Amino acid sequence: MFELLGVPPQALFGQVLLGLINGSFYAILSLGLAVIFGLLNIINFTHGAQYMMGAFVAWMCLNYLGVNYWAALIVAPIVVGATGVAIERLLLKRIAHLDHLYGLLLTFGLALIIQGLFRNQYGASGLPYAIPPQLSGGHNLGFMFLPNYRAWVIAASLIVCLGTWFLVEKTKLGAYLRAATENPTLTQAFGINVPLLVTLTYGFGVALAAFAGVLAAPIYAVNPNMGGDLIIVVFAVVVIGGMGSIMGAIVTGFSLGLIEGLTKVFYPEGAATVIFVIMVLVLLVKPAGLFGRAA
Amino acid sequence: MTDLATSEASGLTLTETDDGAARLHRNIFVAIAALLVVAPFAVYPVFVMKVLCFALFALAFNLLLGYGGLLSFGHAAYFGMASYVSAYTAKNWGLTPELAILSGTAVGALLGLVFGALAIRRQGIYFAMITLALAQMVFFFSLQTPRFTGGEDGIQAVPRGSFLGLISLADDRTLYWLVAAIFMAGLLLIYRIIHSPFGQVCKAIRDNEPRAISLGYRVNRYKLAVFVLSATLAGLAGATKAIVFQLASLTDVYWTMSGEVVLMTLVGGLGTVFGPIVGAAVMVAMQNYLATLGAWVTVVQGIVFVVCVLLFREGIVGVIAKAIRKPL
C-alpha cells in the first residue's frame, strides 16, 4: 500500500470526491445567486431555504405521490421555481426601487418563515431518501471506490452549470438578460418585457437551488436546517469568486469544495473554517474577489 | 449603499438637532431614567435586565447601520464572543463581574477591529455577506473549542460575584442597578457619539460617500472607527448578558442572533436614537410570551421581518417621529 503525502490514497481520494460533491452544490447555489443578483440586485437569502424545499418536494413526491427520483428532478425545480415566481411578483417587486439591503432583509425574513414552517411539520431530525436503484452501487477504479450516485451528482451539476453558462452567455435570451442587467430602462425601450424577464430570472435561480436540493436529498438527510448553514458558506464562496461572472461562480464553487475536502484530509479541525479563511486572504489581496470587477 | 436610513424618513431630517428636539430628548432621557428606577418593582427584574441587554445590543447595531449606513449581518460574533470571554473569566479566573464584563467588552472591540478592517474593504451587500461569513467563522470556532466554550453545553453556572469585590450581586435587584447603569452609560455614550462632529461625518459618509471623500475625509478610518465602537458596545451587551443569566451559549454566536438584532432595530426604527430600545423591548416581550408556541416563534419572527420591510420601514419610533415632526 503506497501513501500519498503521508495519507492513505483511499482517504485522500474519498475526501477529494466528497469535496467535489460539496463543490457541485456550492457551484449551483452560487450560480443561482449570481443570476438573481445580476438582474434583481438582491442577495437572495431565501436561497438556502429554497434548496431545502427542493429536497423536501422530492421527498414528498416519493412518499405521498409515489413519484420517483427522476421525475422529481424535473418536478421539484418547477414547483419551487413557481413559488419563487409568486414571491417575486407578490413581495420582491414592491421593494425593487428601494435600497437593495431591504431585499436582503426581506429574503432573510422569508427564509425564517419557510424554515420554521418545515420544522413545525417535519421536526428537525432528518428524513431518509433512498438512492434511486439505477444509480446504486459503484465502480472500483483501482485506486478508489466510486459510488455511482456521487459520480452522477458531479456530472449533473456540471451539465446544469455549463448549460446555464451557455444560456446566459451564448443565446439571444441570455443577451436580453445581460442587456437588462446593464441598463433595464434602455432594454425596455427596445421592446423587451423587463419585468417579465426579472420574474422569470428569479424563478430560474430558485429552480436551480431546488435542483441542487433534489441532488442533495439522497446524500444528506432531508431536514429543515440543511440550507441554513450551507447558504452562509455559499456567501463566502460568492465573496471569494466575486459576483462578476457566471464562469467565476462555477470555477470557484468547485475549487473551494475541493480545497475544503483536502483540508479535511490534512487538517480536519480546519475544514469548517478553511473557506472563511480563504475569504479573508482573498479580501486582503483582491477585495473585488477573484473573478469580480473592481467595485 | 446610500441613504438606507434616510430614504424612508424623507422630508424629515432625523439628524438635525434644533432646540426643541434637544429639549425633547432631554425629557426622554429623564423619562427613561425614571422608568429604569421604577421598572424592577413593577416587572420581574430578570426580564427587564434581558430587555436592557438586548436594547444595548440593538443600540450598538443601530449606531453602525442607522448612522454609519453599514449593514453588518454578523453582530452576533461580538455579542457572543464577549459573552463567552466574560463568562469564562468570571468562572475560571475568578474575576470580579466588572472586570469580567470589561474583558468581554475588550475582546468584542478587538474582534470588531479585525473584522471591521476586513469588511470595510467591500460595500453594500458584500459588506453584509462578509460580516456574516466572519461571524460564522466565530461560530465554528466556538463549536470546536469546547475546552473554552463548553461546546454544545455552553458555559453554565457563571458566578455573578461581587461588584468591586464588595457588593454581592447574587440578588436580582442588586444586579439590576449595575445593568441599568451600564445600559444608561451605553445609551448616553451613543447619543454623544451621534451628535459629535465624528457622528456628523459618519452620517455624511452614509448619505453620500463619494462626496465625503471629495471633501477630504478619510472615509475608511471613520467607517472602521464606527464599526469598532459598535462592536465594542455589542460586546458590552453580550458580556453583561452572560453575567445576568450566568450562561454563555452557542445561541449567542449563531447567525440567527445577528438577524434578531437587525429585526429589533427595524421594528423600533432604523436610524432613530430611541427606536432600538423599543424594538428590543417588543421583541423580548414577544419571545417571552410566545415561548409556548415553540418552533412557531421563528415563523412569527419571519412574518414580522417581512411585514416590517414591506409596510413598516420607519419602525415604531420612526412613525411616532414622523407624526410629531421631531427627530427621536
Side-chain angles (χ1 to χ4, degrees), chain B residues 22-282:
Chain B
R23 207 174 315 124
L24 178 64
H25 286 180
R26 205 176 314 127
N27 291 342
I28 293 176
F29 273 111
V30 172
I32 292 175
L35 213 61
L36 283 179
V37 172
V38 182
F41 302 101
V43 194
Y44 182 48
V46 176
F47 174 76
V48 188
M49 286 193 277
K50 188 174 181 190
V51 171
L52 292 181
C53 288
F54 278 105
L56 185 58
F57 186 23
L59 282 166
F61 174 79
N62 184 46
L63 175 66
L64 187 63
L65 176 58
Y67 296 92
L70 299 166
L71 173 61
S72 156
F73 230 104
H75 251 48
Y78 321 112
F79 184 78
M81 200 32 99
S83 150
Y84 273 130
V85 169
S86 152
Y88 189 87
T89 51
K91 188 173 181 180
N92 296 30
W93 296 358
L95 289 191
T96 52
E98 71 282 354
L99 288 178
I101 290 175
L102 274 179
S103 63
T105 312
V107 168
L110 212 63
L111 209 57
L113 183 66
V114 177
F115 285 7
L118 284 165
I120 58 163
R121 298 171 76 91
R122 296 304 308 272
Q123 293 173 325
I125 350 194
Y126 278 97
F127 178 87
M129 289 197 294
I130 291 163
T131 47
L132 177 61
L134 289 170
Q136 194 66 357
M137 206 162 118
V138 171
F139 170 75
F140 280 124
F141 171 80
S142 310
L143 189 67
Q144 290 178 343
T145 49
R147 276 171 59 187
F148 164 54
T149 62
E152 302 274 354
D153 301 329
I155 305 177
Q156 297 175 354
V158 177
R160 280 183 180 173
S162 326
F163 184 61
L164 298 173
L166 298 170
I167 307 159
S168 167
L169 296 178
D171 180 52
D172 286 345
R173 288 268 170 81
T174 323
L175 178 64
Y176 173 82
W177 300 116
L178 176 67
V179 176
I182 289 174
F183 167 79
M184 210 56 199
L187 176 61
L188 286 168
L189 177 66
I190 288 171
Y191 189 80
R192 193 71 205 89
I193 293 171
I194 293 170
H195 294 90
S196 69
F198 168 80
Q200 300 297 333
V201 177
C202 286
K203 275 175 258 179
I205 295 170
R206 173 195 72 190
D207 291 340
N208 193 335
E209 187 166 340
R211 188 186 289 165
I213 294 172
S214 71
L215 285 173
Y217 290 111
R218 297 203 169 167
V219 167
N220 279 351
R221 286 194 183 181
Y222 281 90
K223 280 188 185 172
L224 183 58
V226 75
F227 194 99
V228 173
L229 280 170
S230 173
T232 310
L233 287 161
L236 178 63
T240 311
K241 183 179 171 269
I243 299 295
V244 170
F245 288 96
Q246 306 181 282
L247 171 76
S249 72
L250 284 172
T251 352
D252 296 340
V253 273
Y254 198 49
W255 59 270
T256 45
M257 181 60 80
S258 303
E260 237 163 75
V261 75
V262 180
L263 187 54
M264 286 173 186
T265 312
L266 206 59
V267 168
L270 194 61
T272 61
V273 180
F274 304 102
I277 307 171
V278 177
V282 170

Side-chain angles (χ1 to χ4, degrees), chain A:
Chain A
M1 168 80 59
F2 72 102
E3 287 204 341
L4 229 62
L5 301 165
V7 174
Q10 265 80 5
L12 181 66
F13 288 117
Q15 287 302 336
V16 165
L17 181 67
L18 209 63
L20 278 176
I21 300 230
N22 285 335
S24 312
F25 294 122
Y26 298 160
I28 305 186
L29 291 176
S30 62
L31 185 63
L33 281 175
V35 172
I36 291 172
F37 179 74
L39 209 50
L40 285 82
N41 248 313
I42 280 177
I43 283 290
N44 185 31
F45 216 119
T46 325
H47 220 63
Q50 280 150 344
Y51 158 84
M52 175 267 288
M53 280 167 84
F56 261 102
V57 171
W59 183 89
M60 287 181 214
C61 276
L62 187 69
N63 286 278
Y64 299 153
L65 305 171
V67 173
N68 71 10
Y69 173 83
W70 301 102
L73 216 44
I74 312 281
V75 172
I78 292 176
V79 171
V80 181
T83 65
V85 167
I87 287 172
E88 203 283 328
R89 277 279 140 122
L90 293 175
L91 306 173
L92 292 177
K93 209 174 169 185
R94 294 171 198 276
I95 55 151
H97 61 286
L98 295 174
D99 192 296
H100 48 238
L101 292 176
Y102 283 113
L104 179 77
L105 298 180
L106 181 67
T107 49
F108 176 76
L110 283 174
L112 287 184
I113 296 175
I114 296 172
Q115 283 182 6
L117 287 177
F118 275 90
R119 205 172 304 139
N120 284 325
Q121 191 62 38
Y122 295 100
S125 55
L127 305 168
Y129 188 97
I131 291 176
Q134 296 89 337
L135 290 175
S136 57
H139 291 287
N140 195 343
L141 301 181
F143 56 90
M144 68 176 291
F145 181 77
L146 178 66
N148 287 340
Y149 188 77
R150 312 224 153 188
W152 153 250
V153 167
I154 295 172
S157 73
L158 262 180
I159 292 167
V160 167
C161 285
L162 293 176
T164 309
W165 172 81
F166 184 81
L167 184 74
V168 175
E169 300 287 339
K170 300 289 172 197
T171 64
K172 200 159 190 184
L173 183 68
Y176 291 159
L177 205 75
R178 280 176 288 136
T181 309
E182 286 294 325
N183 191 336
T185 325
L186 193 63
T187 314
Q188 186 133 25
F190 275 104
I192 291 156
N193 191 342
V194 173
L196 179 70
L197 203 58
V198 167
T199 307
L200 290 180
T201 304
Y202 188 75
F204 178 72
V206 171
L208 274 180
F211 182 81
V214 184
L215 283 183
I219 302 183
Y220 310 108
V222 178
N223 78 84
N225 303 323
M226 63 192 285
D229 289 337
L230 181 67
I231 194 65
I232 297 173
V233 179
V234 174
F235 280 175
V237 172
V238 166
V239 171
I240 295 167
M243 206 101 76
S245 73
I246 300 282
M247 205 38 113
I250 303 172
V251 173
T252 357
F254 275 101
S255 16
L256 285 167
L258 199 58
I259 290 173
E260 199 184 31
L262 288 174
T263 314
K264 222 168 263 174
V265 180
F266 296 108
Y267 185 61
E269 297 82 6
T273 46
V274 65
I275 288 187
F276 301 113
V277 174
I278 294 175
M279 183 190 79
V280 168
L281 294 177
V282 168
L283 276 173
L284 286 175
V285 183
K286 227 175 157 231
L290 297 177
F291 293 84
R293 285 165 286 185

